[in-house]
Amino acid sequence: MPSAAEVGAIKQMKNAAFGGNAVSQKLKKGDYIPEIFFIGQIIGGDDFNVNQDGLFVEAYLNYGEDWSLFEDDNLSGPIQTHTAYSDEDGLHVFAHPFEYHFACKSAQGWPKLSIKVWRLDDLGKFDNIAYGVVNLPCTSGSFELEIPTWRPMSGWSEESYNFYLGGPPKLQNSDPVVKNLDQRKFLTTISSGTVHIQCDVLMKSFQAQDI
């Protein structure tokens, strides 16, 4: 059993090895920077009325001014999945990964994903057939997210053209999806299919900053 003097000497040696009394100093509130990881994948999509045509998804990240993204060229940029064809259950499997690492100052402008669904027919024609948006989870854990999608709906003549020849109505820009939400009230839309996302969330120092 070491004596009190020996214990004191050991503590002094540890403090000297780790920079004096720095280890024993308690971090202040401003020393904690809230960080969050979103790690997951776009699993697939179903209930899209595309017969045997292929589907792929484009996804874009939107977040507020109080958020800073640690960019990774491979996984944190805009997403475009491969073109998938439905399996026997009607699911178009994408399994496309993503990973976002943020530092933030507040919860305002919480990140969200806006998506566009594209169809590729057997003649090689591309059509933007659906839009959707989802807020990424705001608590730690593992989540299964569903994005209900929609598209603009026009008059009966345009809908008849779309039914026989393809080419549904499209938005001129994506502002009504994530930015100028007041514009949504001027849209007439029709439901489309569902895109499925799996997302794991890791949070650091949010409680320390009362976020």
Side-chain angles (χ1 to χ4, degrees):
M1 178 73 68
S3 65
E6 291 173 332
V7 171
I10 293 173
K11 288 184 178 179
Q12 289 180 359
M13 292 174 62
K14 287 184 177 179
N15 286 336
F18 290 99
N21 294 324
V23 174
S24 61
Q25 292 178 356
K26 185 176 180 180
L27 288 173
K28 298 178 181 179
K29 184 176 180 179
D31 296 328
Y32 295 92
I33 300 175
E35 297 182 43
I36 186 167
F37 289 86
F38 300 101
I39 305 170
Q41 62 175 321
I42 300 178
I43 298 173
D46 56 14
D47 296 331
F48 290 95
N49 186 22
V50 293
N51 297 321
Q52 299 301 314
D53 293 342
L55 289 181
F56 66 91
V57 171
E58 292 180 349
Y60 304 90
L61 186 65
N62 302 273
Y63 52 92
E65 296 179 354
D66 289 341
W67 291 71
S68 298
L69 177 66
F70 297 94
E71 294 189 6
D72 183 317
D73 293 338
N74 294 322
L75 294 177
S76 63
I79 293 172
Q80 179 178 319
T81 71
H82 68 280
T83 301
Y85 294 85
S86 62
D87 58 18
E88 61 273 10
D89 297 321
L91 178 67
H92 295 74
V93 178
F94 305 123
H96 191 100
F98 61 82
E99 180 178 327
Y100 303 120
H101 177 197
F102 284 98
C104 69
K105 300 177 182 177
S106 73
Q108 187 173 4
W110 196 273
K112 62 182 66 176
L113 278 178
S114 60
I115 67 169
K116 294 180 180 179
V117 181
W118 293 79
R119 177 179 63 198
L120 173 64
D121 65 19
D122 55 0
L123 299 177
K125 179 182 177 183
F126 294 98
D127 269 325
N128 183 191
I129 62 169
Y131 303 85
V133 62
V134 64
N135 289 315
L136 294 177
C138 58
T139 58
S140 297
S142 184
F143 302 88
E144 301 288 339
L145 308 177
E146 292 186 352
I147 308 178
T149 64
W150 50 271
R151 67 167 179 82
M153 185 177 180
S154 54
W156 68 268
S157 59
E158 290 83 1
E159 292 298 321
S160 298
Y161 180 92
N162 173 45
F163 179 81
Y164 290 106
L165 299 177
K170 302 172 182 62
L171 297 177
Q172 293 183 349
N173 61 71
S174 298
D175 286 353
V177 180
V178 293
K179 294 181 180 179
N180 299 328
L181 303 186
D182 288 341
Q183 295 182 10
R184 290 185 184 179
K185 62 186 177 183
F186 301 110
L187 290 174
T188 301
T189 63
I190 185 171
S191 296
S192 192
T194 302
V195 174
H196 302 272
I197 290 180
Q198 185 273 328
C199 185
D200 297 325
V201 182
L202 301 173
M203 305 176 75
K204 171 181 173 290
S205 299
F206 276 73
Q207 187 174 5
Q209 293 289 357
D210 301 324
I211 296 179

